Amino acid sequence: MSRSDGSADLSDTEIVVGVTGGIAAYKTCYVASQLVQRGAGVTCVMTRSARRFVTPLTFETLTGRKVLTSLWRSNVSSDPQHIHLAQRADLCIVAPATANIIAKIAHGIADDVLSTVLIALQCPLIVAPAMNSAMWANRVVADNIRRLTEIGHEIVGPATGWQACRTIGPGRMEEPDVIVAAAIDKLAAMPRRARSAD
C-alpha cells in the first residue's frame, strides 16, 4: 500500500466511519468520499445527534452502502450488524468525536449503535476530537483523551481555529485531508488481515 496521499490504494480494506453530533460532521463526508475513491469499503455509523447535521442519505450516496443508525435494524441476516462490522473492519475512524463519545470510549459505555460498535472493535481506532475550546480544556476531557492514548487509540487533532461558537481556539476538528492521511498511514503500517469468504 502506497503512503502517497494521492495514490494510496486502499482496496480490500474495510473502514468504519463513526459520525457524532457536531457541526464538523459535514467535513466527514469528504473523509468518507476520499477513502472510497482510494478503493476502501466504507460503512458509516451515525448517532442520532449526527443525523441532525448530515443525513444518512448523504453518506449512503458517497459510500454506496447503507448507514447504520440503530441497534434494532440489521442489514445482515441472522448477524447483529454492530458485531459484523466490528469483526470485518481493518480500521475505524470517529470524526467528529464529541466529548460525549470520547467519554464513552474511555469508560466502555455502549448505550447506542456507535458506542456498541466501538466496544466490539478488533481493529485500530482513529479519533478526531471536535468541540468548543472550553470543553477541550476541561480536565475530564483531557483525562479521557489520555486514557484513549494509553489504550492505544490514535488521536488526530484537534486543530486551532474559528469555531461554530464564534470563538478562536483549540478544539476544531482536524482537516479531512489530515484525517485521511492518518488513516492511510495507519493501514500502511498494519499487516493485511486474512479474511474469510463472505
Side-chain angles (χ1 to χ4, degrees):
M1 184 184 304
S2 170
R3 286 177 181 266
S4 168
D5 57 11
S7 61
D9 179 11
L10 302 183
S11 55
D12 299 323
T13 62
E14 286 291 327
I15 301 175
V16 173
V17 175
V19 189
T20 68
I23 188 63
Y26 78 93
K27 293 183 178 180
T28 309
C29 299
Y30 180 86
V31 173
S33 177
Q34 288 299 304
L35 295 171
V36 169
Q37 290 179 51
R38 287 164 170 78
V42 176
T43 303
C44 292
V45 183
M46 300 182 72
T47 65
R48 180 182 301 176
S49 296
R51 301 198 303 273
R52 288 182 170 271
F53 293 95
V54 181
T55 68
L57 179 59
T58 301
F59 285 106
E60 289 175 0
T61 301
L62 292 171
T63 65
R65 293 183 175 185
K66 286 290 186 184
V67 172
L68 188 58
T69 59
S70 171
L71 284 169
W72 311 113
R73 192 174 303 151
S74 176
N75 294 323
V76 181
S77 61
S78 73
D79 184 16
Q81 182 82 339
H82 62 284
I83 299 299
H84 181 78
L85 282 178
Q87 290 175 338
R88 293 192 68 223
D90 296 293
L91 179 68
C92 180
I93 301 167
V94 179
T98 59
N100 185 50
I101 196 68
I102 289 169
K104 288 181 181 182
I105 300 168
H107 297 282
I109 297 170
D111 63 356
D112 64 5
V113 63
L114 178 56
S115 57
T116 302
V117 167
L118 294 174
I119 205 169
L121 281 180
Q122 301 172 34
C123 67
L125 173 63
I126 291 174
V127 176
M131 64 195 74
N132 171 270
S133 57
M135 296 172 69
W136 178 249
N138 186 285
R139 289 182 59 185
V140 174
V141 173
D143 286 344
N144 287 337
I145 289 292
R146 183 163 45 252
R147 182 172 176 82
L148 295 193
T149 302
E150 290 170 353
I151 292 169
H153 302 318
E154 181 173 349
I155 310 300
V156 177
T160 297
W162 178 259
Q163 299 178 342
C165 57
R166 289 160 178 74
T167 60
I168 297 175
R172 177 186 174 96
M173 190 176 92
E174 190 55 88
E175 291 304 312
D177 285 337
V178 177
I179 298 170
V180 171
I184 291 169
D185 286 345
K186 179 67 74 175
L187 288 165
M190 292 164 48
R192 190 61 60 88
R193 295 198 307 167
R195 298 188 179 286
S196 58
D198 288 333

